[in-house]
Amino acid sequence: MSTILVLTASPRGERSVSRTLTTDFARLWAQHHPQDTVLLRDIGHHPVPHVTEPWVVGAFAPADSQNAESKAAIAVSDQLVDEFLAADRYVFGVPMYNLNIPSTFKAYIDQIVRPGKTFAVGPNGYEGLVKGKKALFITSSGGSYHPGTPFAAYNFQEPYLRAIFGFIGVTDIQFVVADSMNQGEDAARLSREKAENALKELAETW
Ligand SMILES: Cc1cc2nc3c(=O)[nH]c(=O)nc-3n(C[C@H](O)[C@H](O)[C@H](O)COP(=O)(O)O)c2cc1C
């Protein structure tokens, strides 16, 4: 039995491509794996806080420097980290915003990338502590950034996500991309269908 943490980052509701693909995948997953626990976290509609000065004190200062504010700020992060570490697999539904991820998802990443919890600093440098997990990113974008095209270099989303999740130890990463959403009806439909088919297969084989 596994725990699947499913996170949606679009602020849009039913019109959101990434949200719809991600929640449909979660439903399919639950059908194929009824023994698994599927946890939904909707940061698109319920954003997590940004890092603040009390947060930094809570994360980095010694115990005798802590006050009520720093303890409260870091308690939110502790809860998100606990939830993250308790999951075996991650499914992240993420739109492309300005060539990267929405700031809501960056705020989430800032909450869970924590020294001593999700990464360590040892004699050989940094070490990711989140081992043996799998991550699936379901992304949507208006344009397309296919490898080999001139626009590929503008995609800061996928390289960033691979780098930051790899940094904390999550290296088994897959992407399902619904791109071309603003490139005409046909291109959008074809891309979405391709993503839907890939997700149907992954619901059985991932
Ligand atoms: C604020 C904002 C920024 C965007 N930036 C980009 C971008 O840089 N590149 C791109 O291809 N599409 C961009 N888009 C289009 C979205 O990625 C596209 O509409 C996508 O389907 C949004 O995800 P959603 O449908 O899950 O909400 C942007 C949309 C918004 C609202």
Side-chain angles (χ1 to χ4, degrees):
M1 194 188 111
S2 298
T3 299
I4 321 292
L5 176 61
V6 177
L7 181 145
T8 42
S10 176
R12 299 205 291 172
E14 283 174 7
R15 275 180 295 187
S16 161
V17 178
S18 62
R19 173 185 296 280
T20 306
L21 291 173
T22 302
T23 52
D24 284 354
F25 177 79
R27 258 192 302 278
L28 269 183
W29 185 271
Q31 278 167 22
H32 288 291
H33 308 270
Q35 73 286 2
D36 284 0
T37 302
V38 177
L39 284 179
L40 299 177
R41 177 166 283 283
D42 182 0
I43 58 164
H45 289 147
H46 306 284
V48 301
H50 282 109
V51 164
T52 57
E53 185 165 359
W55 187 101
V56 178
V57 173
F60 296 101
D64 59 5
S65 312
Q66 302 294 336
N67 55 35
E69 236 187 335
S70 66
K71 285 179 189 163
I74 214 61
V76 174
S77 170
D78 285 345
Q79 194 202 334
L80 292 167
V81 168
D82 289 348
E83 176 185 80
F84 186 77
L85 291 176
D88 304 290
R89 291 167 189 246
Y90 310 111
V91 181
F92 297 116
V94 191
M96 178 182 275
Y97 275 7
N98 298 312
L99 310 179
N100 210 315
I101 58 175
S103 60
T104 42
F105 193 42
K106 179 59 165 55
Y108 176 80
I109 290 171
D110 289 343
Q111 292 286 354
I112 60 157
V113 177
R114 288 269 306 275
K117 287 187 177 284
T118 51
F119 74 94
V121 192
N124 301 321
Y126 296 112
E127 189 197 345
L129 299 175
V130 190
K131 300 276 167 81
K133 317 274 186 178
K134 286 181 161 197
L136 169 62
F137 291 94
I138 303 171
T139 65
S140 53
S141 61
S144 63
Y145 304 86
H146 294 177
T149 68
F151 295 104
Y154 289 83
N155 181 358
F156 293 88
Q157 189 185 53
E158 181 167 339
Y160 171 67
L161 289 170
R162 287 188 183 278
I164 191 61
F165 281 88
F167 177 75
I168 59 172
V170 183
T171 51
D172 186 337
I173 292 177
Q174 295 205 41
F175 274 78
V176 170
V177 176
D179 60 11
S180 308
M181 288 303 128
N182 300 339
Q183 293 186 326
E185 261 178 44
D186 287 350
R189 183 177 38 77
L190 282 175
S191 179
R192 193 169 175 151
E193 280 171 9
K194 202 170 148 204
E196 282 165 355
N197 289 336
L199 291 169
K200 269 183 202 144
E201 198 178 319
L202 281 173
E204 293 184 53
T205 59
W206 186 44

